[in-house]
């Protein structure tokens, strides 16, 4: 049986504004759909997405036997240089060794040590806004998140604006379709980012501090140490994945609460903050899809997948699957199943999930001291894959 074909509307602004009704139609009509524009088999249902996240038949690394047609190293040399040792793109022993070394420098204890800094930074930012009208993203979420990442990594504060710019440019390469202009901007940002971190590593080796780049430059296991390129790729992954996801989750969450007529003030007194965080991530995921290669002929959702074909897990669709979550289109902070797909699974479960959860906990606990109102309809960025807003104007 052939996978039903569609032309996925990932660049349609009305779809991006609210993709969930269309994703529901796809999910209820078939477990898989073949997108004729990208040649990706789109996986719509929770059970199948979870299967792919944990099954070694599906690989995030490019198979050695074929050339990735999307990997244009001639035009995007530095972007791909920063992707070569990204944990998201590795499998097997190399992934295991690299993840083990990074984890030693990124423990839960070291993350928890950042809590006082997070609390002070969050409070300072909120006390400094115009309470009648401010941009939740530009005036709060972005400076909050980037300062936490900067503090973790040991990056000077005068580089935070550069980090924001580099991250905003690079993440546009992760959507289903990338414009020429976005590709050029991402390449320049990746080059600037690479060169800056390369020199910063030398400084940390010469004068190590209590920060993650220092720890990454020193950590070892069985006489193995991280190379400079491995450290650079890890730092860039932490910024791009951690910062963007945190900022977009804050924005998406406050808008979601307003849209569903749920008051923010005192919400943490009514429900467990950890349940609130997981449910809001599930309801409007900051990351909507992830791709995998098929390493051997297999079957998924009643369809055959050929070796070296490619699939895309539609995380946002899976998180709204009524077969996994009762009344999935509703926000329910007492939901028993908190096992959404947004942090991945298996060996690729998000290495920074503990940092993301702590950042969100501290931030939302402060925000929930106020009755936050969205005062203008926010506009989406226009990207499908990394789901967020350009700005969210609010009052408190």
């Amino acid at each position: 049986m052939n996978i039903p074909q569609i032309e996925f509307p990932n660049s349609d602004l009305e779809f991006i504004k609210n993709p969930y009704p269309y994703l529901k139609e796809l999910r209820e009509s078939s477990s898989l759909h073949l997108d004729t524009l990208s040649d990706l088999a789109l996986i719509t249902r929770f059970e199948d997405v979870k299967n792919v996240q944990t099954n070694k038949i599906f690989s995030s690394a490019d198979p050695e036997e074929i050339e990735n047609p999307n990997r244009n190293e001639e035009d995007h040399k530095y972007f791909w240089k920063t992707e070569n040792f990204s944990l998201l793109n590795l499998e097997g022993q190399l992934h295991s060794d690299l993840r083990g070394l990074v984890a030693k420098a990124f423990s839960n204890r070291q993350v928890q040590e950042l809590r006082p800094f997070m609390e002070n930074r969050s409070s300072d930012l909120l006390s400094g806004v115009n309470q009648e009208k401010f941009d939740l993203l530009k005036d709060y979420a972005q400076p909050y998140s980037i300062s936490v990442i900067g503090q973790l990594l040991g990056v000077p504060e005068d580089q935070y604006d550069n980090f924001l710019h580099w991250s905003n440019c690079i993440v546009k390469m992760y959507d289903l379709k990338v414009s020429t202009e976005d590709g050029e901007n991402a390449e320049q940002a990746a080059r600037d980012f690479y060169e800056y971190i390369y020199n910063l590593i030398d400084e940390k080796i010469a004068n190590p501090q209590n920060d993650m780049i220092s720890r990454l430059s020193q950590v070892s296991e069985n006489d193995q140490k991280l190379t400079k390129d491995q450290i650079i790729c890890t730092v860039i992954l932490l910024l791009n994945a951690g910062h963007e996801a945190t900022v977009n989750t804050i924005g998406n969450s406050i808008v979601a609460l307003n849209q569903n007529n749920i008051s923010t003030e005192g919400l943490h007194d009514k429900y467990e903050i950890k349940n609130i965080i997981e449910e809001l991530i599930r309801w409007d995921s900051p990351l909507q899809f992830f791709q995998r290669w098929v390493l051997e002929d297999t079957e998924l959702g009643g369809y055959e997948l050929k070796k070296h074909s490619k699939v895309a897990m539609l995380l946002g669709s899976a998180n709204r699957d009524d077969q996994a979550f009762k009344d999935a289109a509703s926000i329910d902070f007492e939901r028993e199943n908190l096992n959404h797909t947004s942090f991945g699974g298996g060996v690729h479960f998000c290495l920074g999930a503990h940092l993301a959860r702590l950042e969100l906990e501290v931030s939302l606990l402060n925000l929930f001291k106020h009755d936050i109102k969205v005062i203008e309809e926010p506009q989406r960025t226009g990207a499908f894959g990394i789901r967020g807003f350009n700005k969210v104007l609010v009052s408190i």
Side-chain angles (χ1 to χ4, degrees):
M1 184 167 58
N2 293 328
I3 301 173
Q5 295 187 359
I6 61 168
E7 189 173 302
F8 193 66
N10 68 284
S11 58
D12 182 276
L13 294 182
E14 284 302 309
F15 166 73
I16 289 171
K17 183 177 179 181
N18 182 14
Y20 298 110
Y22 178 74
L23 293 175
K24 180 180 175 68
E25 291 178 16
L26 292 185
R27 190 171 57 249
E28 293 182 349
S29 65
S30 178
S31 56
L32 270 67
H33 295 268
L34 184 64
D35 176 29
T36 57
L37 296 176
S38 64
D39 202 33
L40 289 167
L42 307 177
I43 306 169
T44 62
R45 296 176 182 170
F46 179 86
E47 183 179 353
D48 294 324
V49 167
K50 279 294 185 181
N51 183 358
V52 172
Q53 286 181 329
T54 56
N55 193 326
K56 292 184 178 180
I57 290 176
F58 300 93
S59 172
S60 60
D62 295 347
E64 294 182 0
E65 305 95 308
I66 64 173
E67 183 177 338
N68 184 348
N70 297 318
R71 187 170 178 127
N72 185 352
E73 295 197 29
E74 184 175 332
D75 292 336
H76 303 123
K77 173 185 174 182
Y78 274 88
F79 170 76
W80 288 110
K81 199 176 179 72
T82 64
E83 291 282 298
N84 280 337
F85 293 104
S86 168
L87 285 168
L88 297 180
N89 301 329
L90 300 176
E91 296 287 354
Q93 193 62 45
L94 179 56
H95 174 271
S96 179
D97 290 345
L98 180 56
R99 186 180 175 104
L101 286 167
V102 173
K104 289 184 69 173
F106 192 31
S107 70
N108 188 54
R109 177 185 60 80
Q110 291 156 341
V111 167
Q112 290 295 329
E113 289 175 355
L114 291 170
R115 184 167 195 132
F117 175 85
M118 294 180 188
E119 291 173 340
N120 290 334
R121 184 63 174 145
S122 174
S123 296
D124 288 347
L125 285 166
L126 283 176
S127 65
V129 300
N130 177 355
Q131 295 192 359
E132 294 182 0
K133 183 178 182 180
F134 69 97
D135 183 350
L136 180 67
L137 304 185
K138 182 180 178 182
D139 298 327
Y140 175 74
Q142 289 179 357
Y144 168 71
S145 176
I146 204 70
S147 64
V148 171
I149 294 290
Q151 183 77 4
L152 170 74
L153 295 174
V155 173
E157 193 170 345
D158 61 10
Q159 290 297 319
Y160 288 178
D161 285 345
N162 283 335
F163 267 46
L164 271 173
H165 172 69
W166 293 334
S167 179
N168 290 337
C169 290
I170 293 171
V171 296
K172 292 180 180 177
M173 288 289 284
Y174 303 136
D175 219 347
L176 283 171
K177 292 186 70 175
V178 181
S179 70
T180 300
E181 181 182 2
D182 285 345
E184 290 173 350
N185 290 339
E187 172 63 11
Q188 184 60 54
R191 178 172 186 159
D192 292 342
F193 204 160
Y194 181 94
E195 291 175 348
Y196 175 77
I197 298 298
Y198 189 95
N199 292 325
L200 184 60
I201 292 170
D202 287 338
E203 295 179 23
K204 299 294 184 181
I205 291 173
N207 184 26
Q209 307 290 321
N210 183 27
D211 59 62
M212 190 165 174
I213 294 180
S214 296
R215 291 193 293 270
L216 288 171
S217 66
Q218 295 173 322
V219 70
S220 64
E221 183 77 26
N222 298 326
D223 295 325
Q224 282 188 311
K225 295 191 72 173
L226 295 170
T227 67
K228 262 191 171 183
D229 274 3
Q230 289 172 338
I231 296 173
I232 292 168
C233 290
T234 299
V235 169
I236 291 179
L237 173 62
L238 280 172
L239 176 68
N240 291 343
H243 163 71
E244 292 289 334
T246 300
V247 170
N248 290 331
T249 297
I250 292 171
N252 292 351
S253 296
I254 298 303
V255 172
L257 293 171
N258 272 248
Q259 288 176 340
N260 288 273
N261 298 314
I262 300 172
S263 174
T264 60
E265 190 170 13
L267 191 61
H268 57 299
D269 295 325
K270 301 173 185 176
Y271 306 101
E272 289 288 336
I273 188 64
K274 291 177 172 56
N275 291 15
I276 294 173
I277 291 167
E278 301 304 321
E279 177 68 350
L280 291 173
I281 292 174
R282 180 200 70 82
W283 196 81
D284 196 12
S285 178
L287 182 63
Q288 287 286 312
F289 78 93
F290 227 93
Q291 300 182 30
R292 290 283 190 274
W293 290 97
V294 182
L295 297 185
E296 57 186 73
D297 292 349
T298 190
E299 180 272 338
L300 184 71
Y303 296 99
E304 292 183 359
L305 292 172
K306 294 296 184 182
K307 180 179 180 179
H308 292 166
S309 61
K310 209 168 186 184
V311 300
M313 299 170 282
L314 298 186
L315 307 181
S317 174
N319 288 341
R320 292 288 191 100
D321 189 344
D322 286 308
Q323 297 300 311
F325 305 97
K326 183 180 179 181
D327 195 13
S330 298
I331 294 176
D332 180 2
F333 297 127
E334 296 180 324
R335 192 179 295 282
E336 291 184 9
N337 179 16
L338 299 175
N339 186 28
H340 58 74
T341 66
S342 297
F343 283 130
V347 298
H348 285 288
F349 183 80
C350 177
L351 187 65
H354 56 321
L355 175 64
R357 284 169 167 148
L358 181 61
E359 279 189 79
L360 291 168
E361 179 179 332
V362 169
S363 180
L364 292 179
L365 285 174
N366 264 333
L367 289 169
F368 291 162
K369 295 175 183 176
H370 307 275
D371 181 20
I372 305 173
K373 298 294 185 185
V374 178
I375 57 179
E376 290 183 18
E377 182 177 359
Q379 300 298 311
R380 291 287 177 182
T381 62
F384 168 67
I386 296 179
R387 182 165 173 79
F389 294 99
N390 281 320
K391 62 181 178 179
V392 179
L393 296 180
V394 299
S395 64
I396 59 176

